[in-house]
Structure formats: C-alpha cells, structure tokens
Amino acid sequence: HVQLVESGGGSVQPGSSLNLSCVVSGIRSGTADEIINCMGWFRQAPGEEREGVAHIFTTGNAYYAASVEGRFTVSRDNANNTVYLQMDSLKPEDTAMYYCAADLVPGHAPPIGTSTGYEYRHWGQGTQVTVS
C-alpha cells in the first residue's frame, strides 16, 4: 500500500531554514502517474485547522499560500517519488506539524489555505517544525 514518510523537521530560531522531505513508497506498477501527479504540503498548528501550504505537479507547476510565498520553495524528484519543502526565513507562526500528501482526488483542486483533509487520498504522519 502507498506510504508517505516525511522528515527534516526540527526546532530552530526565527530566520533559520529547514528542508523537509517526503518519500512516497508502495506505488503499484502503472499507478505512479496518477498518485504522484500532484503532491502537496500542509500544516496544522494546535487548535488550528489544517491548511494547504504548497503544491507541485509533475510538470513543475507550483502553488503557494500567500503566507509562505517568497520564503518556501516546493520541489520534487520524480525519479525517486520524493517531494521537498525548502523553508527559509522561518517565523514563529510557521510552527506546526507539517504533512505531505499525494494522489489528488479527481474534482478537487489543491487547497491553498483551509483544507478539509479529503483533497488527497494518501497522507504522511507528519514532521514537527518549531520556530522560537
């Protein structure tokens, strides 16, 4: 079955950088194009709703939440089913659990901002980012 594993989180000071990674595994032959066509990064702080932060298609087209645009960069390695989130100039308000997701559900647009949690079929367990 499909699994997503995030890594790269940590505790840093404001102004620092982190690079998150998410590796997708367990993709059955012939389904990769569908599952990894669009991949996204989300975050959720305690007491807050989950929000879409950045999304990237296989083509390289990327979309960002206004709160991170210019500071975060999403990229991907299609050959290795991996998506990255380079986070620069981190702020305390970036503190959250960060999740990656894959396999965009047909009819759903990659959410920027509040997420229902149902836009993608597969989700990772998250990696904690703390900025203080």
Side-chain angles (χ1 to χ4, degrees):
H1 61 283
V2 176
Q3 287 188 308
L4 284 69
V5 179
E6 303 97 334
S7 62
S11 295
V12 297
Q13 294 182 340
S16 298
S17 298
L18 284 173
N19 189 24
L20 306 184
S21 301
C22 173
V23 180
V24 185
S25 63
I27 299 175
R28 289 184 295 126
S29 178
T31 65
D33 288 349
E34 174 183 349
I35 290 174
I36 65 171
N37 176 50
C38 184
M39 297 185 67
W41 284 99
F42 294 74
R43 66 186 181 187
Q44 187 167 19
E48 301 290 332
E49 294 181 313
R50 186 171 296 191
E51 64 170 338
V53 173
H55 307 270
I56 185 167
F57 285 85
T58 305
T59 57
N61 290 341
Y63 304 90
Y64 298 91
S67 58
V68 306
E69 188 148 24
R71 300 188 297 121
F72 290 11
T73 303
V74 61
S75 61
R76 58 189 293 161
D77 178 352
N78 293 331
N80 292 297
N81 298 335
T82 302
V83 63
Y84 303 95
L85 186 67
Q86 175 67 38
M87 305 187 296
D88 298 318
S89 302
L90 283 162
K91 304 176 180 179
E93 51 264 43
D94 294 320
T95 295
M97 186 70 78
Y98 283 71
Y99 301 89
C100 69
D103 199 359
L104 187 67
V105 175
H108 282 74
I112 295 297
T114 302
S115 165
T116 64
Y118 294 101
E119 296 90 352
Y120 288 88
R121 291 195 177 97
H122 303 291
W123 296 81
Q125 293 300 305
T127 185
Q128 178 67 37
V129 172
T130 302
V131 186
S132 64

